[in-house]
Structure formats: C-alpha cells, structure tokens
Short mmCIF file of all heavy atoms in Angstrom, two decimals:
data_model
loop_
_atom_site.label_atom_id
_atom_site.label_comp_id
_atom_site.label_asym_id
_atom_site.label_seq_id
_atom_site.Cartn_x
_atom_site.Cartn_y
_atom_site.Cartn_z
N VAL A 1066 105.41 304.67 151.38
CA VAL A 1066 105.59 303.54 152.29
C VAL A 1066 105.65 302.23 151.52
O VAL A 1066 106.45 301.34 151.84
CB VAL A 1066 104.50 303.52 153.39
CG1 VAL A 1066 104.56 302.25 154.22
CG2 VAL A 1066 104.64 304.75 154.28
N LEU A 1067 104.84 302.09 150.48
CA LEU A 1067 104.95 300.90 149.63
C LEU A 1067 106.37 300.80 149.06
O LEU A 1067 106.98 299.72 149.06
CB LEU A 1067 103.94 300.95 148.48
CG LEU A 1067 102.49 300.65 148.83
CD1 LEU A 1067 101.57 300.98 147.65
CD2 LEU A 1067 102.30 299.20 149.25
N ASN A 1068 106.89 301.92 148.60
CA ASN A 1068 108.24 301.95 148.04
C ASN A 1068 109.28 301.62 149.12
O ASN A 1068 110.22 300.87 148.89
CB ASN A 1068 108.51 303.31 147.41
CG ASN A 1068 109.72 303.30 146.50
OD1 ASN A 1068 109.91 302.36 145.72
ND2 ASN A 1068 110.52 304.33 146.58
N ASP A 1069 109.10 302.18 150.33
CA ASP A 1069 109.98 301.86 151.47
C ASP A 1069 110.02 300.36 151.76
O ASP A 1069 111.03 299.83 152.19
CB ASP A 1069 109.50 302.57 152.74
CG ASP A 1069 110.11 303.94 152.93
OD1 ASP A 1069 111.02 304.31 152.16
OD2 ASP A 1069 109.68 304.64 153.87
N ASN A 1070 108.88 299.72 151.53
CA ASN A 1070 108.76 298.29 151.81
C ASN A 1070 109.20 297.44 150.62
O ASN A 1070 108.88 296.25 150.54
CB ASN A 1070 107.32 297.93 152.20
CG ASN A 1070 106.95 298.51 153.54
OD1 ASN A 1070 107.80 298.76 154.38
ND2 ASN A 1070 105.67 298.74 153.75
N ALA A 1071 109.92 298.08 149.68
CA ALA A 1071 110.49 297.40 148.51
C ALA A 1071 109.42 296.81 147.59
O ALA A 1071 109.64 295.79 146.94
CB ALA A 1071 111.51 296.34 148.93
N THR A 1072 108.27 297.44 147.55
CA THR A 1072 107.22 297.02 146.62
C THR A 1072 107.63 297.42 145.21
O THR A 1072 108.09 298.54 144.98
CB THR A 1072 105.87 297.68 146.98
OG1 THR A 1072 105.57 297.40 148.35
CG2 THR A 1072 104.74 297.20 146.09
N ASN A 1073 107.48 296.52 144.28
CA ASN A 1073 107.81 296.78 142.88
C ASN A 1073 107.07 298.01 142.38
O ASN A 1073 105.87 298.17 142.66
CB ASN A 1073 107.44 295.53 142.07
CG ASN A 1073 107.70 295.67 140.60
OD1 ASN A 1073 107.09 296.50 139.93
ND2 ASN A 1073 108.60 294.84 140.10
N VAL A 1074 107.75 298.88 141.64
CA VAL A 1074 107.14 300.13 141.19
C VAL A 1074 105.93 299.89 140.29
O VAL A 1074 104.98 300.68 140.28
CB VAL A 1074 108.19 301.05 140.51
CG1 VAL A 1074 108.61 300.52 139.15
CG2 VAL A 1074 107.66 302.48 140.38
N PHE A 1075 105.91 298.77 139.55
CA PHE A 1075 104.76 298.47 138.71
C PHE A 1075 103.54 298.07 139.55
O PHE A 1075 102.40 298.37 139.19
CB PHE A 1075 105.11 297.37 137.68
CG PHE A 1075 106.18 297.81 136.73
CD1 PHE A 1075 107.47 297.33 136.84
CD2 PHE A 1075 105.91 298.76 135.74
CE1 PHE A 1075 108.47 297.75 135.99
CE2 PHE A 1075 106.90 299.19 134.88
CZ PHE A 1075 108.19 298.69 135.00
N THR A 1076 103.80 297.44 140.69
CA THR A 1076 102.72 297.12 141.63
C THR A 1076 102.17 298.42 142.23
O THR A 1076 100.95 298.59 142.35
CB THR A 1076 103.22 296.18 142.73
OG1 THR A 1076 103.73 294.98 142.13
CG2 THR A 1076 102.11 295.82 143.72
N ILE A 1077 103.08 299.32 142.60
CA ILE A 1077 102.65 300.63 143.14
C ILE A 1077 101.81 301.36 142.11
O ILE A 1077 100.76 301.92 142.42
CB ILE A 1077 103.86 301.48 143.58
CG1 ILE A 1077 104.63 300.77 144.71
CG2 ILE A 1077 103.41 302.87 144.02
CD1 ILE A 1077 105.94 301.44 145.08
N GLN A 1078 102.24 301.34 140.85
CA GLN A 1078 101.48 301.98 139.77
C GLN A 1078 100.06 301.43 139.71
O GLN A 1078 99.10 302.19 139.61
CB GLN A 1078 102.20 301.77 138.43
CG GLN A 1078 101.44 302.34 137.24
CD GLN A 1078 102.01 301.91 135.90
OE1 GLN A 1078 102.94 301.10 135.83
NE2 GLN A 1078 101.46 302.45 134.83
N LYS A 1079 99.92 300.11 139.78
CA LYS A 1079 98.58 299.48 139.73
C LYS A 1079 97.74 299.89 140.94
O LYS A 1079 96.55 300.20 140.80
CB LYS A 1079 98.70 297.96 139.68
CG LYS A 1079 99.15 297.42 138.34
CD LYS A 1079 98.01 297.43 137.38
CE LYS A 1079 98.37 296.65 136.14
NZ LYS A 1079 97.43 296.91 135.06
N LEU A 1080 98.36 299.87 142.12
CA LEU A 1080 97.62 300.23 143.33
C LEU A 1080 97.23 301.71 143.34
O LEU A 1080 96.19 302.08 143.89
CB LEU A 1080 98.45 299.89 144.58
CG LEU A 1080 98.62 298.39 144.86
CD1 LEU A 1080 99.64 298.16 145.96
CD2 LEU A 1080 97.28 297.75 145.22
N MET A 1081 98.06 302.55 142.73
CA MET A 1081 97.75 303.98 142.63
C MET A 1081 96.76 304.27 141.50
O MET A 1081 96.24 305.36 141.39
CB MET A 1081 99.04 304.78 142.39
CG MET A 1081 100.03 304.73 143.54
SD MET A 1081 99.50 305.71 144.94
CE MET A 1081 99.74 307.37 144.33
N ARG A 1082 96.56 303.28 140.63
CA ARG A 1082 95.66 303.40 139.49
C ARG A 1082 96.12 304.47 138.52
O ARG A 1082 95.33 305.26 138.01
CB ARG A 1082 94.22 303.61 139.98
CG ARG A 1082 93.77 302.47 140.88
CD ARG A 1082 92.48 302.68 141.62
NE ARG A 1082 92.26 303.96 142.26
CZ ARG A 1082 92.76 304.32 143.44
NH1 ARG A 1082 93.54 303.51 144.11
NH2 ARG A 1082 92.49 305.49 143.95
N HIS A 1083 97.43 304.49 138.25
CA HIS A 1083 98.02 305.42 137.28
C HIS A 1083 98.18 304.71 135.93
O HIS A 1083 98.57 303.55 135.89
CB HIS A 1083 99.40 305.88 137.74
CG HIS A 1083 99.38 306.83 138.88
ND1 HIS A 1083 100.40 306.90 139.81
CD2 HIS A 1083 98.48 307.77 139.25
CE1 HIS A 1083 100.13 307.84 140.70
NE2 HIS A 1083 98.96 308.37 140.39
N LYS A 1084 97.93 305.44 134.86
CA LYS A 1084 98.17 304.90 133.52
C LYS A 1084 99.66 304.87 133.21
O LYS A 1084 100.15 303.99 132.53
CB LYS A 1084 97.45 305.74 132.47
CG LYS A 1084 96.00 305.41 132.30
CD LYS A 1084 95.45 306.12 131.09
CE LYS A 1084 94.06 305.61 130.82
NZ LYS A 1084 93.51 306.12 129.57
N ASN A 1085 100.37 305.89 133.69
CA ASN A 1085 101.76 306.09 133.32
C ASN A 1085 102.66 305.93 134.54
O ASN A 1085 102.42 306.54 135.58
CB ASN A 1085 101.88 307.50 132.72
CG ASN A 1085 103.22 307.76 132.09
OD1 ASN A 1085 104.25 307.31 132.57
ND2 ASN A 1085 103.20 308.51 131.01
N ILE A 1086 103.72 305.16 134.39
CA ILE A 1086 104.66 304.93 135.49
C ILE A 1086 105.33 306.24 135.92
O ILE A 1086 105.68 306.42 137.09
CB ILE A 1086 105.71 303.85 135.11
CG1 ILE A 1086 106.42 303.32 136.35
CG2 ILE A 1086 106.73 304.36 134.13
CD1 ILE A 1086 105.74 302.22 137.02
N ALA A 1087 105.49 307.17 134.99
CA ALA A 1087 106.12 308.46 135.32
C ALA A 1087 105.28 309.22 136.34
O ALA A 1087 105.82 309.90 137.22
CB ALA A 1087 106.32 309.30 134.06
N THR A 1088 103.96 309.09 136.27
CA THR A 1088 103.09 309.73 137.24
C THR A 1088 103.31 309.13 138.62
O THR A 1088 103.41 309.85 139.62
CB THR A 1088 101.60 309.57 136.84
OG1 THR A 1088 101.44 310.06 135.50
CG2 THR A 1088 100.68 310.32 137.78
N THR A 1089 103.43 307.82 138.67
CA THR A 1089 103.68 307.14 139.94
C THR A 1089 104.98 307.63 140.56
O THR A 1089 105.05 307.87 141.77
CB THR A 1089 103.73 305.61 139.73
OG1 THR A 1089 102.53 305.20 139.09
CG2 THR A 1089 103.90 304.87 141.05
N MET A 1090 105.99 307.81 139.75
CA MET A 1090 107.30 308.23 140.25
C MET A 1090 107.24 309.62 140.90
O MET A 1090 108.02 309.92 141.80
CB MET A 1090 108.35 308.20 139.13
CG MET A 1090 108.59 306.80 138.56
SD MET A 1090 108.88 305.52 139.81
CE MET A 1090 110.45 306.01 140.44
N LEU A 1091 106.28 310.45 140.49
CA LEU A 1091 106.12 311.77 141.11
C LEU A 1091 105.63 311.66 142.55
O LEU A 1091 105.83 312.56 143.35
CB LEU A 1091 105.14 312.62 140.31
CG LEU A 1091 105.58 313.06 138.91
CD1 LEU A 1091 104.42 313.73 138.19
CD2 LEU A 1091 106.79 313.97 138.98
N TYR A 1092 104.97 310.56 142.87
CA TYR A 1092 104.40 310.37 144.20
C TYR A 1092 105.36 309.76 145.20
O TYR A 1092 105.19 309.88 146.39
CB TYR A 1092 103.16 309.45 144.11
CG TYR A 1092 101.94 310.16 143.63
CD1 TYR A 1092 101.75 310.44 142.29
CD2 TYR A 1092 100.97 310.58 144.54
CE1 TYR A 1092 100.62 311.10 141.85
CE2 TYR A 1092 99.83 311.24 144.11
CZ TYR A 1092 99.67 311.50 142.76
OH TYR A 1092 98.56 312.15 142.32
N VAL A 1093 106.34 309.05 144.68
CA VAL A 1093 107.22 308.27 145.54
C VAL A 1093 108.40 309.12 146.00
O VAL A 1093 109.16 309.63 145.18
CB VAL A 1093 107.72 307.01 144.80
CG1 VAL A 1093 108.72 306.24 145.64
CG2 VAL A 1093 106.54 306.12 144.42
N ASN A 1094 108.52 309.29 147.28
CA ASN A 1094 109.68 309.98 147.87
C ASN A 1094 110.76 308.95 148.14
O ASN A 1094 110.47 307.87 148.64
CB ASN A 1094 109.30 310.63 149.20
CG ASN A 1094 108.95 312.07 149.07
OD1 ASN A 1094 108.70 312.57 147.98
ND2 ASN A 1094 108.92 312.76 150.18
N VAL A 1095 112.00 309.30 147.84
CA VAL A 1095 113.11 308.46 148.27
C VAL A 1095 113.45 308.91 149.69
O VAL A 1095 113.70 310.07 149.95
CB VAL A 1095 114.33 308.62 147.34
CG1 VAL A 1095 115.51 307.81 147.87
CG2 VAL A 1095 113.97 308.17 145.93
N THR A 1096 113.41 307.96 150.61
CA THR A 1096 113.62 308.29 152.02
C THR A 1096 114.99 307.83 152.49
O THR A 1096 115.64 307.00 151.85
CB THR A 1096 112.54 307.60 152.89
OG1 THR A 1096 112.71 306.19 152.78
CG2 THR A 1096 111.13 307.99 152.46
N ASP A 1097 115.41 308.36 153.63
CA ASP A 1097 116.69 307.94 154.22
C ASP A 1097 116.69 306.44 154.49
O ASP A 1097 117.71 305.77 154.34
CB ASP A 1097 116.96 308.72 155.51
CG ASP A 1097 117.37 310.16 155.25
OD1 ASP A 1097 117.63 310.50 154.07
OD2 ASP A 1097 117.40 310.94 156.21
N THR A 1098 115.54 305.91 154.89
CA THR A 1098 115.43 304.47 155.15
C THR A 1098 115.81 303.68 153.90
O THR A 1098 116.58 302.70 153.98
CB THR A 1098 113.99 304.11 155.58
OG1 THR A 1098 113.65 304.86 156.73
CG2 THR A 1098 113.83 302.62 155.85
N GLN A 1099 115.30 304.10 152.75
CA GLN A 1099 115.62 303.41 151.51
C GLN A 1099 117.11 303.53 151.18
O GLN A 1099 117.73 302.55 150.75
CB GLN A 1099 114.81 303.99 150.35
CG GLN A 1099 113.33 303.67 150.44
CD GLN A 1099 112.57 304.43 149.39
OE1 GLN A 1099 112.32 305.61 149.52
NE2 GLN A 1099 112.23 303.73 148.33
N LEU A 1100 117.66 304.69 151.38
CA LEU A 1100 119.08 304.91 151.07
C LEU A 1100 119.96 304.05 151.98
O LEU A 1100 120.93 303.44 151.54
CB LEU A 1100 119.43 306.39 151.20
CG LEU A 1100 118.71 307.33 150.22
CD1 LEU A 1100 119.01 308.79 150.56
CD2 LEU A 1100 119.09 307.02 148.78
#
C-alpha cells in the first residue's frame, strides 16, 4: 500500500526496517492500480 501510494522505495525500506533494498522489493507487489 505504501508503494501504491507512490512512497519512495527507500522510505519503504526504512519503514520496513530492512538493511537491504532487495529485501524490501520482495515485499512489494506491483498492483493493477500502479500499472
């Protein structure tokens, strides 16, 4: 939902408390809304 709301991926990474951005990307689904 953060990603759907166009939140910067680095902000999502911080909020998820991930060390690696690649880990964050595993959590983010690309939705039809985003497309």
Side-chain angles (χ1 to χ4, degrees):
V1066 172
L1067 284 170
N1068 196 42
D1069 269 353
N1070 292 334
T1072 305
N1073 179 295
V1074 71
F1075 296 106
T1076 302
I1077 298 172
Q1078 177 190 5
K1079 285 283 191 194
L1080 290 170
M1081 295 287 288
R1082 302 169 315 279
H1083 287 150
K1084 278 190 172 187
N1085 189 324
I1086 197 86
T1088 306
T1089 305
M1090 297 310 292
L1091 293 172
Y1092 281 79
V1093 176
N1094 264 16
V1095 176
T1096 64
D1097 286 349
T1098 302
Q1099 291 172 283
L1100 297 173

